[in-house]
């Protein structure tokens, strides 16, 4: 009765007041009616700002999203009082739409994207426009809202935006990155903190490449300042195949047999020669190319395994380092499984090497999910630099670790330093009780090698065995190493009779 539509009857009512009551009735009505409408909220004064809406999509803006998130954080986003989930999705290279399709075409595309995002969600979910091509959402939790379901929802959004858009007879194909934040992962329970977390996750997704998805986790990668020219050089080097894995052997302390290789990234610059990993890995981080580097390393590693097999060379497995960025990729497990199928290799041939500080510090469910899934698939899990990251036994179990690599700092001078021997012996005893294999890394002398064998370390790796080598050098090294191993004594019936 007192809604905005009541204003349409105002002229007729005022005319009736004058007709039946004269000027006095008209004056009373003119004073009381605006007050009544203002009291009921039907009349908005000029200084009251209406909620801002995006001119192109008609969606409300950032302020509306923050208000909804704040309200839902305090009152709950559902009947159970659960806080909301915040999702941010952005069209890849959205800034170039106007230059490519004109202002009118870009607006048509953005309106279509806004409609598709809303259609993916429930009616109660809030969708807003944060900036051209970027949409923010507040989603009420359900009993099934968890990491897996949010990944699936993000994938559905990407699929919806990836459907062709017809524009003047042209088919426009888009990709989008998604970042989301579960409220349990955000330290400050405020709407602004939740939105900041989701946008941080989106930043990480965009660094990983078009069409990526990331969930917010504590301690996401800090930016590293490196020269712009080095970053550009790294991008070029990856594209032109200058960065490849070199392989360092791992051998058994019991038999001397080759038990595997570790793949280590090396850059052979056409003019500068060898570039140290410490010099180019920060540039990889700056350019957000750890996932691209991981793809290169995995492809060449699996290619090497297949080639060794075809040559009749026995290489049980190869360990590949996976960065925290890669381990947060929701698609990592599927990528690795697909690559293993493509090369027709058993999962046990690939060892996933994870830094101990990732295990010790990570509260990221995505990292746990990926490592556990790869372990179930049959891949080995190596915990690198053990002893430096303070990983607890519960974390070792949680991440399904199969082998610990004892850090070089404990190996150095272990043959002469009693304290070092005691420390390594304690680590080996713990590993034995937990049923874990062990590998000493950075073994540089025969004395260190011999002491580790005496203490019970199962595998060793380091300069005393071999330096990292190009793939083309591995076949000769394997043959030469195999020739040095003495044959196993024959203790059959004929030997006993003698």
């Amino acid at each position: 009765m007192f809604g905005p539509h009541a204003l349409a009857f105002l002229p007729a009512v005022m005319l009736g007041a004058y007709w039946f009551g004269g000027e006095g009735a008209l004056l009373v009505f003119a004073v009381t009616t605006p007050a009544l409408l203002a009291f009921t909220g039907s009349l908005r004064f000029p200084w009251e700002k209406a909620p801002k809406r995006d001119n192109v999509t008609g969606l409300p803006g950032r302020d509306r999203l923050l208000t909804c998130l704040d309200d839902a954080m305090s009152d709950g986003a559902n009947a159970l009082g659960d806080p909301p989930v915040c999702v941010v999705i952005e069209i890849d290279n959205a800034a170039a739409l106007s230059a490519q399709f004109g202002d009118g075409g870009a607006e048509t595309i953005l309106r279509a994207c806004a409609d598709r995002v809303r259609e993916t969600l429930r009616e109660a979910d809030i969708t807003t426009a944060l900036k051209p091509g970027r949409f923010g959402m507040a989603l009420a939790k359900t009993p099934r809202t968890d990491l897996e379901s949010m990944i699936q929802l993000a994938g559905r959004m990407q699929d919806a935006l990836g459907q062709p858009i017809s524009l003047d007879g042209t088919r426009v194909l888009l990709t989008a990155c998604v970042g989301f934040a579960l409220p349990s992962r955000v330290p400050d329970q405020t709407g602004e903190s939740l939105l900041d977390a989701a946008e941080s996750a989106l930043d990480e997704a965009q660094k990983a490449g078009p069409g990526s998805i990331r969930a917010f986790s504590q301690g996401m990668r800090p930016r590293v300042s490196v020269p712009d020219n080095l970053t550009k050089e790294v991008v070029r080097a990856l594209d032109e195949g200058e960065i490849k894995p070199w392989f360092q052997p791992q051998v058994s302390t019991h038999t001397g047999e080759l038990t595997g290789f570790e793949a280590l990234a090396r850059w052979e610059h056409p003019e500068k020669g060898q570039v140290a990993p410490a010099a180019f890995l920060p540039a990889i981080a700056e350019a957000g190319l750890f996932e691209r580097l991981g793809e290169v390393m995995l492809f060449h590693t699996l290619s090497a395994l297949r080639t060794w097999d075809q040559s009749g060379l026995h290489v049980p497995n190869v360990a590949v380092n996976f960065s925290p960025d890669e381990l947060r990729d929701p698609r990592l497990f599927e990528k690795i499984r697909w690559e293993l199928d493509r090369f027709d290799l058993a999962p046990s041939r690939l060892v996933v090497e994870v830094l101990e500080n990732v295990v010790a510090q990570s509260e990221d469910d995505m990292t746990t999910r990926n490592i556990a899934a790869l372990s179930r698939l049959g891949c080995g899990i190596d915990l690198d630099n053990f002893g430096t990251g303070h990983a607890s036994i519960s974390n070792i179990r949680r991440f399904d670790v199969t082998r610990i690599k004892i850090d070089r700092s404990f190996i150095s001078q272990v043959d002469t330093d009693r304290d070092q021997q005691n420390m390594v012996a304690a680590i080996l005893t713990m590993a034995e009780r937990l049923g874990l294999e062990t590998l000493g890394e950075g073994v540089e002398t025969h004395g260190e090698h011999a002491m580790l064998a005496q203490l019970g370390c199962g595998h060793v790796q380091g300069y005393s065995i071999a330096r990292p080598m190009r793939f083309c050098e591995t076949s000769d090294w394997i043959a030469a190493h195999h020739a040095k191993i003495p044959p196993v004594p024959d203790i059959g019936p004929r030997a006993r009779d003698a």
Side-chain angles (χ1 to χ4, degrees), residues 199-208 219-228 231-232 235 281-290 325 328:
E199 291 192 307
S200 295
L202 177 66
D203 290 342
E204 290 291 317
Q206 290 173 327
K207 293 170 190 173
M220 282 188 156
R221 183 185 73 233
R223 298 304 298 269
V224 182
S225 179
V226 297
D228 289 341
T231 301
K232 293 176 182 177
V235 174
L281 288 179
I284 294 280
E286 175 74 14
L289 289 172
F290 265 125
D325 291 342
R328 284 195 289 261

Side-chain angles (χ1 to χ4, degrees), residues 162-213:
Q163 296 300 313
I165 297 174
S166 180
L167 185 65
D168 296 331
T170 301
R171 295 171 76 249
V172 180
L173 298 175
L174 302 174
T175 59
C177 286
V178 183
F180 64 87
L182 296 168
S184 59
R185 292 293 177 187
V186 179
D188 299 325
Q189 296 295 294
T190 65
E192 186 171 0
S193 178
L194 190 59
L195 178 55
D196 286 345
E199 291 192 307
S200 295
L202 177 66
D203 290 342
E204 290 291 317
Q206 290 173 327
K207 293 170 190 173
S212 298
I213 302 171

